[in-house]
Amino acid sequence: MWTKKIQKELVHLQKDSQMRQLKQTKDATEKQITINGQRMLNLASNNYLGLANHPHIKQASMETIEQYGVGATASRLIVGNHPVYDEAENALLTWKRAEAGLIVNSGYTANVGIISSLVGRHDLVFSDQLNHASIIDGIILSRAKHKRYRHNNMDHLEAMLKKAPKHKRKLIVTDTVFSMDGDVSPLHDLVTLKKQYNALLMVDEAHGTGVFGPNGEGYSYDQNVQQHIDLHMGTFSKALGCFGAYVIGEQPLIDYLTNKMRSFIFTTGLPPALLGAIQTAILVVQMEERRRLRLHQLAEQFRTLLQDYGFFTYNSETQIVPIRIGTNEDALQFSERLQAKGIAAIAIRPPTVREGDARIRFTVTANHTESELIQAATIIAAVGKELGVIS
């Protein structure tokens, strides 16, 4: 019975062009990637600063293996809290100028654990319509009342806050850089509403960490509102080229999460080698500002090229540059034609985005060259004309 039901669901996924399959990739840390044996330009990676293959970060990882071995062997609260955790967290707090923080296993487990620990069935969570799935899943797991406001629409958010009972605990949560649209959140307005309606404010800096801020601290630091945000979550797996995530805030909040966050308590700690890599990546991000400046310059040039060809790039103003396609089938065909022409770019379909709003999501990295992006834009435009996406 269950097998037939699952097979039927797979048939529907295939029919709706939503079937996903794993493809073998090689050299994914580089600007050139091999997918199923074909070499192509990598415009699908989150390795924004090109640090995933940085020699100093790799060396730090290897040295940490020699000192501490391969595995953490247990959760951090048992015997998995190696000294390198303290070293990495101290580097994090110095970088972020934060009172307290905690390194956890991934952005997904961080968001699920933080939100489900902070709020419960009698509380309210106000979440941007385009927030990451991990935020949504954290809200569902918390059993709090989910109030989803229209994307970056502060009037809609305020209208819901006004209707909320004053005695209810309220959490506002948002991405700072939205992963599929490439736009940013209005943090100044969110801080104002947070204060006015006595809410807690949490931001997800997964795609802002390393990319924005005076020293790559994140978009909230770029906007100079970091001190007014209660909890910052971010990842080391994108611009920093490593793996893992963090949460920072005031000491009582971090102490509370250490004792209540189930996705932290009941999981094995990160391998020591990753923590050594994280600590060094934090230093590299601060020292190599040229990577960040180059990334912004290249992203702006590439986005302008696509817009000049007639593509709709949503409200992108970051290193994430999507183009609207429409149907799932068209997006898949577009992606396949790009790959045949030597460009790795992936079709983004529901449930990641809304029905009828499938797209190709391009990501620029500091490792790309201007000539590579100009050539890529020319090929993308040619495919767009072939498929009738642009005229």
Side-chain angles (χ1 to χ4, degrees):
M1 176 181 172
W2 280 104
T3 301
K4 289 182 179 180
K5 185 175 181 180
I6 289 170
Q7 288 176 337
K8 186 176 180 181
E9 180 65 23
L10 289 173
V11 169
H12 282 302
L13 288 173
Q14 190 74 49
K15 183 180 178 181
D16 294 338
S17 298
Q18 292 199 51
M19 190 72 169
R20 290 160 172 83
Q21 294 177 318
L22 292 172
K23 296 181 179 180
Q24 187 184 80
T25 61
K26 291 176 63 178
D27 304 318
T29 61
E30 303 296 337
K31 63 181 179 180
Q32 294 287 332
I33 188 171
T34 301
I35 300 179
N36 287 349
Q38 182 184 351
R39 195 72 170 163
M40 57 189 81
L41 182 68
N42 188 355
L43 286 176
S45 171
N46 292 332
N47 184 27
Y48 301 133
L49 297 180
L51 297 183
N53 208 27
H54 194 286
H56 293 166
I57 298 173
K58 290 198 298 183
Q59 183 64 31
S61 180
M62 291 185 285
E63 289 176 358
T64 312
I65 284 179
E66 288 297 323
Q67 185 173 3
Y68 293 104
V70 177
T73 75
S75 69
R76 290 189 66 183
L77 292 174
I78 305 298
V79 293
N81 194 44
H82 298 284
V84 70
Y85 258 115
D86 287 340
E87 295 166 10
E89 285 175 346
N90 287 336
L92 171 69
L93 298 182
T94 300
W95 179 36
K96 298 278 191 174
R97 304 185 299 279
E99 181 178 327
L102 197 63
I103 289 178
V104 296
N105 284 28
S106 73
Y108 188 94
T109 57
N111 277 336
V112 167
I114 293 166
I115 296 170
S116 63
S117 300
L118 287 177
V119 293
R121 65 170 74 242
H122 301 298
D123 303 320
L124 303 171
V125 181
F126 301 85
S127 172
D128 189 286
Q129 187 178 24
L130 298 189
N131 276 342
H132 191 264
S134 57
I135 293 174
I136 297 169
D137 290 353
I139 298 169
I140 292 171
L141 188 61
S142 76
R143 296 178 292 178
K145 186 71 173 178
H146 188 181
K147 299 287 188 177
R148 184 175 294 183
Y149 61 89
R150 290 188 287 274
H151 179 50
N152 280 346
N153 190 320
M154 296 298 97
D155 290 336
H156 188 212
L157 172 58
E158 183 169 17
M160 290 194 295
L161 286 166
K162 282 181 178 179
K163 293 179 181 178
K166 291 184 178 180
H167 67 278
K168 294 277 189 180
R169 289 199 298 181
K170 296 175 278 291
L171 171 66
I172 302 171
V173 59
T174 183
D175 288 349
T176 59
V177 175
F178 291 90
S179 61
M180 293 300 134
D181 283 45
D183 57 350
V184 295
S185 59
L187 293 182
H188 288 277
D189 294 335
L190 285 167
V191 166
T192 298
L193 291 176
K194 166 238 173 174
K195 292 179 178 179
Q196 185 175 349
Y197 293 95
N198 193 30
L200 203 69
L201 177 59
M202 171 183 168
V203 298
D204 181 332
E205 287 271 25
H207 296 271
T209 299
V211 175
F212 291 95
N215 298 294
E217 304 98 320
Y219 185 67
S220 57
Y221 289 77
D222 179 84
Q223 297 297 296
N224 197 29
V225 294
Q226 71 276 2
Q227 67 274 22
H228 304 296
I229 294 170
D230 300 288
L231 284 169
H232 301 245
M233 193 290 293
T235 61
F236 303 114
S237 56
K238 298 175 177 64
L240 272 71
C242 301
F243 185 75
Y246 65 85
V247 54
I248 60 172
E250 293 182 351
Q251 190 69 58
L253 278 171
I254 301 304
D255 288 343
Y256 181 84
L257 291 174
T258 302
N259 284 275
K260 291 290 187 178
M261 188 162 61
R262 294 171 66 86
S263 62
F264 166 77
I265 296 169
F266 298 107
T267 192
T268 300
L270 287 172
L274 274 172
L275 295 159
I278 287 168
Q279 182 182 357
T280 302
I282 289 171
L283 299 178
V284 169
V285 164
Q286 297 172 78
M287 293 169 58
E288 300 189 12
E289 182 187 14
R290 59 179 178 80
R291 291 177 182 267
R292 192 159 51 255
L293 297 176
R294 178 168 176 76
L295 174 63
H296 290 300
Q297 178 187 19
L298 291 173
E300 175 63 28
Q301 292 174 349
F302 184 63
R303 183 169 49 252
T304 300
L305 283 170
L306 294 182
Q307 290 170 345
D308 288 346
Y309 277 120
F311 288 106
F312 177 69
T313 60
Y314 297 81
N315 292 315
S316 170
E317 51 184 295
T318 66
Q319 72 280 2
I320 299 165
V321 186
I323 58 172
R324 177 179 286 168
I325 305 299
T327 68
N328 297 340
E329 185 178 2
D330 287 346
L332 280 175
Q333 191 175 6
F334 202 114
S335 176
E336 289 166 1
R337 292 201 187 186
L338 285 179
Q339 292 184 42
K341 294 177 183 291
I343 295 178
I346 307 304
I348 305 298
R349 296 158 285 161
T352 308
V353 294
R354 294 181 294 270
E355 290 287 346
D357 198 23
R359 66 197 66 179
I360 305 294
R361 176 187 183 266
F362 300 103
T363 51
V364 179
T365 76
N367 283 350
H368 288 125
T369 66
E370 291 184 24
S371 60
E372 286 170 337
L373 295 176
I374 290 171
Q375 183 180 9
T378 303
I379 294 171
I380 294 163
V383 172
K385 290 175 181 177
E386 289 172 11
L387 297 179
V389 176
I390 57 173
S391 57

